[in-house]
């Protein structure tokens, strides 16, 4: 998708970053929300690629937590 190149391009204009929040009615809505966001940013991602991406994200999160002296 080219997020790195887009980030580098936008950095030229010295943007100010602000946190964004999302309100949702119930935690049961999270799978639908995740699906909608992933389809918006990665429209050609198939189910197999999605599972692979999710597993990599989980592994990286666990590695990051354990390297900071904390465990799950």
């Amino acid at each position: 998708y080219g997020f790195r190149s887009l980030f580098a391009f936008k950095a030229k204009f010295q943007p100010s970053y602000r946190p964004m929040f999302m309100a949702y009615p119930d935690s049961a809505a999270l799978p639908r929300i995740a699906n909608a966001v992933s389809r918006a940013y990665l429209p050609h991602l198939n189910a197999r690629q999605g599972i692979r991406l999710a597993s990599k994200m989980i592994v990286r999160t666990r590695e990051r937590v354990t390297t900071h002296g904390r465990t799950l």
Side-chain angles (χ1 to χ4, degrees):
Y1 199 81
F3 286 113
R4 288 184 187 167
S5 61
L6 179 61
F7 181 77
F9 174 76
K10 288 182 176 183
K12 296 177 189 178
F13 303 101
Q14 301 174 346
S16 61
Y17 295 96
R18 296 188 179 129
M20 294 177 64
F21 300 93
M22 179 178 65
Y24 50 92
D26 187 13
S27 60
L30 287 175
R32 288 185 304 155
I33 293 167
N35 187 31
V37 170
S38 65
R39 286 182 183 268
Y41 283 99
L42 304 166
H44 302 293
L45 188 75
N46 63 32
R48 185 178 191 180
Q49 293 168 329
I51 292 169
R52 186 174 174 203
L53 176 63
S55 65
K56 284 185 177 185
M57 290 173 61
I58 291 168
V59 168
R60 285 187 183 171
T61 301
R62 286 183 181 164
E63 289 172 355
R64 195 173 332 143
V65 169
T66 56
T67 58
H68 292 297
R70 293 176 270 155
T71 57
L72 295 174

